[in-house]
Amino acid sequence: LEALKMAVEDWKKGPPLLFIADLGDIIDQQCEANNDSERALQLVLDAWQDAPAEVFHLMGNHELYNFNREEAKALIPNIFPWYRNLRLVPGWRFLILDAYELNVIEKG
């Protein structure tokens, strides 16, 4: 959490960013075992609030340990749709794929 806060502060001082891709696993798998998933997620999302560009969150296995897809979709901004085709920068296309479409770990 502290590393994310430091990164956000650093990004705000640097050259302008067009977007930020969060590659998932924003909370720990242990949060589910501790029945602390939503509180831990909120702490991380609060740290992302000051990010100097739009943040695209991607699904990681830790999200699936803590939440099912419907919960993740409701709780984590900009994580859905699971597959995306983004043209955020002229001449570039960003494809977001769902590596966990077929899995045995999703909370449910």
Side-chain angles (χ1 to χ4, degrees):
L1 188 57
E2 292 307 312
L4 172 59
K5 290 176 183 178
M6 290 187 315
V8 168
E9 289 305 312
D10 191 53
W11 294 331
K12 290 177 0 185
K13 296 174 192 166
L17 300 174
L18 298 174
F19 67 95
I20 299 168
D22 160 37
L23 303 180
D25 295 347
I26 59 176
I27 62 173
D28 192 75
Q29 175 184 350
Q30 299 303 315
C31 296
E32 194 274 332
N34 296 333
N35 200 27
D36 201 23
S37 300
E38 288 191 36
R39 186 192 71 77
L41 175 64
Q42 192 56 56
L43 288 172
V44 174
L45 293 177
D46 289 347
W48 276 111
Q49 276 301 113
D50 290 333
E54 184 173 12
V55 179
F56 292 92
H57 296 285
L58 280 66
M59 182 66 76
N61 63 320
H62 290 198
E63 283 78 15
L64 290 174
Y65 286 126
N66 287 278
F67 307 107
N68 64 41
R69 286 179 183 273
E70 287 306 310
E71 291 169 330
K73 182 177 166 184
L75 294 170
I76 304 170
N78 221 0
I79 197 170
F80 183 84
W82 312 122
Y83 290 90
R84 290 180 257 183
N85 174 8
L86 305 169
R87 294 178 185 260
L88 303 169
V89 180
W92 286 82
R93 178 188 292 178
F94 296 89
L95 300 176
I96 296 175
L97 307 176
D98 183 357
Y100 295 101
E101 180 177 18
L102 300 175
N103 70 77
V104 295
I105 59 174
E106 184 171 343
K107 183 176 180 186

